[in-house]
Amino acid sequence: MTLTPRRAVTLCVALSLIAVLAVPTALPGLSGDARITLAVFALATCAWVGTRIDDTYIALGAGLALTAVGVISSETLFGTLGDETVWLLICAFVLAAAVTRSGLAGRGAVFLVTGARSVRQLVHLTTAALVATAFAVPSTSGRAALALPVFLAMAKVLAERRRLVVMLALLFPTVILLSAVATLIGAGAHLITVSVLEEATAVRIGFTEWLLLGLPLAVVSSHVAAEVVLSTTTRREDRRGPIRITAEDVQAHSAHPVTGPLSAGESRVVLLLATVVVLWSSESLHGVPPAVVALIGAVVAASPALGTVRLKDALKTVPWSLLLFMAATMAMGVALADSGAAAWLTRGLPEDVPPWLFLAAIVVVSTVAHLLIQSRSARSAVLVPLVVVAAVDTGVNPVAAALASTAAAGFCHTLPASAKPVALFADVPSGTPTYTPRDLLRMSAVLAPLSAALVLVFALVVWPALGVAVTAS
């Protein structure tokens, strides 16, 4: 492996931190387990930032190291794989495979997009459709792949209006990433946040609670982002003139019928998905955990009589690497909390910091963190354990702090490599116009501060009205 300047700096930083931690008299008040935990954590973070080694491999190595030296038990390491949030995600992917196999995405696109008669109307109808996909596909990259054929159909119709095609190419990944906060299963980072919160504070955020807090932010931020994308990538003359996209245009890029009566399989998938979402949203009424609801839904979706996909085919769509990554980083979070390392890292924070300033600092750091750590889940694995402990020490509600950090970390649009959906739409089939790194930077310069400001407003004003206080009770 070539030692590039970035890797050289990363290696020097990691070795320097380990050297300091290895000196018994340095950093007083730090226990042996805490020193080991910080050393492993520093190495893992530097590897995530400065190398191309697979994120999951790094996380598994860190979890194994912490287990081997006795900081955490093997039961803790392997037990995270049995966490109900992991099972929730597995079953959600099985359900998503059934939805994808049925071809309902194309019908949804036709229902919304073909009604547009102006550029702005097309942009906001597309945004609404993309937000809705967060309930059907529990992966931003999966949603991007599902939406790509719809974009290609729109690009073909608008081929003579190049700037509009570039705008749409940027709109799709932007909204997909920002709208993920709508649901608990929208991103693996959300499940890491929930696990860290439960471990540190015994407070568990369920599907309904996350939906209540995240969906309004997803809707507002997505439509604000749509206006930013529209204004930064098109001119006034580009936005003039009518727009018309027909069902035939979408059908040309879909292997399933997008018009006409629903097939028996499509009807069953619609009913199943609606039932699962309703049961998830009404957990407080029936008491069945979301993971159990998802498992029932997955079994039905893959059943020989009622399903639309075979179980072995659906399981092939599950991102097992992401699940292993989540399990390993959950174990790392346990080590940070139980060893006292997280408390030591945050003990120097002044206790009289105003809550709004504390939350503002968290939002800013979480927003820019994607420039260093590309993986959204890795960012939450690094930030959320520290944020939760720091919030407790400063009197801020750890739930509000963790949610603000996770929501802010959803902004990752600055570079093509910042997120998989951005990379996917930056490399569309030859002949289709798409955005350049310069387009991304122009859009991000406007959207980043707006996105951060929105998260802060929700944390300080909207979420308290929904039951999540700013300060700890």
Side-chain angles (χ1 to χ4, degrees):
M1 183 173 62
T2 304
L3 192 63
T4 63
R6 180 178 179 179
R7 290 173 181 166
V9 170
T10 302
L11 181 61
C12 289
V13 170
L15 293 176
S16 298
L17 289 172
I18 293 173
V20 171
L21 290 168
V23 179
T25 56
L27 309 178
L30 202 58
S31 68
D33 282 354
R35 287 177 185 273
I36 294 172
T37 300
L38 286 179
V40 171
F41 208 85
L43 274 175
T45 303
C46 288
W48 282 328
V49 172
T51 72
R52 295 182 180 177
I53 301 173
D54 184 75
D55 291 339
T56 301
Y57 186 86
I58 295 169
L60 286 174
L64 181 60
L66 291 169
T67 303
V69 297
V71 175
I72 57 176
S73 65
S74 58
E75 288 79 7
T76 298
L77 177 64
F78 296 121
T80 53
L81 278 172
D83 190 274
E84 68 177 77
T85 56
V86 173
W87 277 95
L88 173 62
L89 199 58
I90 292 173
C91 298
F93 270 99
V94 174
L95 286 168
V99 173
T100 302
R101 181 69 63 89
S102 71
L104 285 172
R107 289 184 180 272
V110 167
F111 179 75
L112 286 172
V113 175
T114 57
R117 294 296 178 265
S118 68
V119 173
R120 179 164 273 108
Q121 194 176 21
L122 175 65
V123 165
H124 285 285
L125 285 174
T126 301
T127 297
L130 291 171
V131 172
T133 62
F135 295 91
V137 182
S139 162
T140 53
S141 56
R143 291 165 63 202
L146 193 66
L148 184 59
V150 178
F151 162 72
L152 293 175
M154 297 166 70
K156 184 178 180 180
V157 176
L158 302 171
E160 295 182 357
R161 303 172 72 172
R162 187 180 186 280
R163 287 184 183 276
L164 290 187
V165 177
V166 172
M167 178 273 296
L168 288 171
L170 188 53
L171 176 71
F172 273 72
T174 298
V175 173
I176 285 170
L177 289 167
L178 290 179
S179 61
V181 74
T183 72
L184 178 60
I185 60 174
H190 303 169
L191 303 179
I192 291 174
T193 297
V194 168
S195 176
V196 171
L197 270 174
E198 185 175 25
E199 176 68 28
T201 66
V203 174
R204 185 171 187 85
I205 300 178
F207 185 92
T208 308
E209 291 81 5
W210 192 289
L211 183 68
L212 178 66
L213 300 169
L215 181 58
L217 175 59
V219 171
V220 173
S221 61
S222 294
H223 284 280
V224 168
E227 284 294 328
V228 171
V229 171
L230 187 61
S231 63
T232 58
T233 55
T234 62
R235 299 169 181 169
R236 185 172 297 177
E237 55 268 27
D238 298 321
R239 298 190 286 271
R240 293 173 180 164
I243 290 288
R244 182 163 178 79
I245 298 175
T246 67
E248 290 72 21
D249 297 323
V250 179
Q251 182 67 76
H253 293 269
S254 176
H256 303 274
V258 297
T259 57
L262 292 176
S263 67
E266 289 173 330
S267 299
R268 290 197 299 270
V269 170
V270 169
L271 179 60
L272 175 61
L273 186 61
T275 302
V276 168
V277 172
V278 169
L279 289 174
W280 277 340
S281 304
S282 57
E283 180 189 357
S284 59
L285 298 178
H286 53 71
V288 181
V292 176
V293 172
L295 182 57
I296 295 171
V299 170
V300 174
S303 66
L306 301 175
T308 59
V309 63
R310 292 189 302 176
L311 183 60
K312 68 176 183 179
D313 294 330
L315 291 176
K316 291 178 182 177
T317 68
V318 178
W320 298 106
S321 178
L322 172 62
L323 296 177
L324 289 173
F325 177 89
M326 286 174 49
T329 51
M330 287 176 188
M332 292 172 64
V334 172
L336 274 175
D338 291 353
S339 68
W344 183 88
L345 284 172
T346 59
R347 71 178 184 179
L349 293 175
E351 296 183 1
D352 57 349
V353 175
W356 69 266
L357 183 58
F358 178 82
L359 288 173
I362 287 173
V363 168
V364 170
V365 170
S366 300
T367 300
V368 302
H370 72 282
L371 297 175
L372 291 176
I373 306 175
Q374 293 179 351
S375 167
R376 189 174 189 165
S377 297
R379 291 197 296 277
S380 289
V382 171
L383 293 174
V384 173
L386 303 180
V387 164
V388 169
V389 174
V392 172
D393 291 343
T394 55
V396 175
N397 184 355
V399 175
L403 286 172
S405 175
T406 305
F411 179 86
C412 38
H413 304 67
T414 307
L415 300 170
S418 295
K420 291 178 182 177
V422 180
L424 178 64
F425 277 84
D427 188 27
V428 293
S430 177
T432 304
T434 189
Y435 48 84
T436 64
R438 184 177 180 181
D439 295 322
L440 273 176
L441 289 173
R442 187 190 304 115
M443 185 270 293
S444 294
V446 179
L447 185 57
L450 276 177
S451 178
L454 272 174
V455 173
L456 187 59
V457 168
F458 268 76
L460 294 175
V461 179
V462 180
W463 290 342
L466 296 174
V468 179
V470 173
T471 57
S473 56

